[in-house]
Amino acid sequence: MAGDKVKKGFAFYLLMFILLIVAVFLGILTFMLFSPQKDVLGFKYFSFSESEQVVQTTAKEDINFSSLNEIRVNAKKASVNVLKSNVDKDTIEFVNNSIGFARSEQNTVFTRELILDKMNGILTINVTEPEGFLHFSNNVEVNILVPSEIGDKEDEKSINYNQLLTTKLTISTDSGNVSLGLSSSDKEEMTAYNTIAPSNIDIRTGSGSIKFNKYITSRFSNINLVTGSGSISSEVGLTIMGNNGTNKISTSNGKINISTVTMTGYAWTADKEELLNVNIGNGTFNCDKFLGTISVVTTNGNVNINELSGHFSANNTKDFIEAPSFNIKKVGGDVSIPHGNNAKIEIGQVDGYINIDLNGGKAKVGAMKGINDRSWISTDSGIIEAYVADEKSGVIHNFESNNGEINVTFTSEIRSHTSILSNTGNVNLSIRSGYKFLLEVKTTDGKYVETLNDKVSFEFIDSKEYKMPFGVHGYTGTASSVLIQTNGQVRGKLLPLFS
């Protein structure tokens, strides 16, 4: 009985002690909430709800966008927006609605600094946001507001034709998002009233997103977009007029979505001019129509393009690329992936030269037009699936594998010299009835396979007539030929008439 009373008494005092601790904690918390910025036991609470529009620099100099060669913004968590607005003057707006808790040594003061370099025409905007270990709200914005209209209020205003056309935008954030242009307007037509048109853009963010909204004239002399894990997207097609090879779009793990990219020129040159460099790391690049040449750097990323008018290259080093995915429906130029490792490649049509080298993975090319004079696809243990169509005379196709499977299908008359080489992998050759060409079948030691058997067979050859080299369907020339050299299985198939 006495033991039970002791236990009940201990439980009562323990409960009272816990309630006392909770009451003290709530009291301290209440005091902190009603006393922002006060240091309490090594912690402090901060809460802001403020907005300020400035038309002068910190040194009280008027801001005039038309006189600037460059606007630089340096921020950490703040979002940066550049857009047309109904303000009366060129304006920088600062919005701070951040709420949270911080340690006493952390800086919880919001500061902004505007520095004008008149000699070089550069306006620098530096922002320091409140620091903390717990943020309930991190809504901090830097808004660069370009007036839609100018003039006195008493008089009729006129459209402001300054669209930042000659002003470079250089924006850097740690995690803040960057947005360019209005997403909607009271006037549907895109004019100087509602549209910005910066020609030179350099945006870098650690984890923030980069977005081009509807009301931006997307013609750039140079463009550099970099985000670590954020996304890059555009509601409008991007036209890039620069031709110095420095144009770049990059993400480490994020997603890039751009409907249309147009380069002013897309001829492949030795110094890589007139192309767009895309670095996606482990991220994704999606584009519907790409009018130009693109160079991709990736480790395990995904590239999806519906139509590419220029050349495609992924000239990564062998140690860098692992198992990315390249899915392109049509390529008007050349394809170069010399170190594909375990990539999965699917290309619907290629009009130019092909150079693909894989370790494993799979390479599927839907229609090799052979406008240029050579195609080369090789793999160690991966799968090759190639379709040759509408080729010109004199083209050379090379398909090589160590022990992977090679499938080659001709959907038009054979006018090329095609070489299919494998060590132990199987080879499947498919043609339509009536195609004429010179066929040679050899083992890897260079000896002809003199008789058809369970290992080597052709649906379009009568075993009684088979003799190496063999003119298929009575062919007597040498301009069109197929060489198959392997120790693996060889199958020759006839395609269905209407396939």
Side-chain angles (χ1 to χ4, degrees), residues 15 23 67 88 114 145 185 215 331 341 352 402-403 416 426 468 479:
L15 177 61
S67 67
D88 295 324
L114 292 87
L145 306 178
S185 173
Y215 290 92
V331 180
N341 274 353
N402 182 25
N403 53 28
S416 63
N426 296 334
M468 287 285 99

Side-chain angles (χ1 to χ4, degrees), residues 11-49:
F12 173 77
Y13 287 114
L14 178 61
L15 177 61
M16 293 301 293
F17 178 71
I18 294 174
L19 291 175
L20 178 61
I21 292 176
V22 171
V24 172
F25 172 77
L26 291 177
I28 294 173
L29 181 62
T30 302
F31 176 78
M32 294 178 69
L33 293 177
F34 285 95
S35 304
Q37 304 295 345
K38 292 287 186 180
D39 189 348
V40 179
L41 300 176
F43 299 96
K44 54 186 174 181
Y45 169 75
F46 60 89
S47 177
F48 297 94
S49 180

Side-chain angles (χ1 to χ4, degrees), residues 276-290:
L276 180 64
N277 296 290
V278 176
N279 188 334
I280 58 173
N282 297 319
T284 299
F285 177 78
N286 297 319
C287 182
D288 180 50
K289 194 171 186 179
F290 196 105

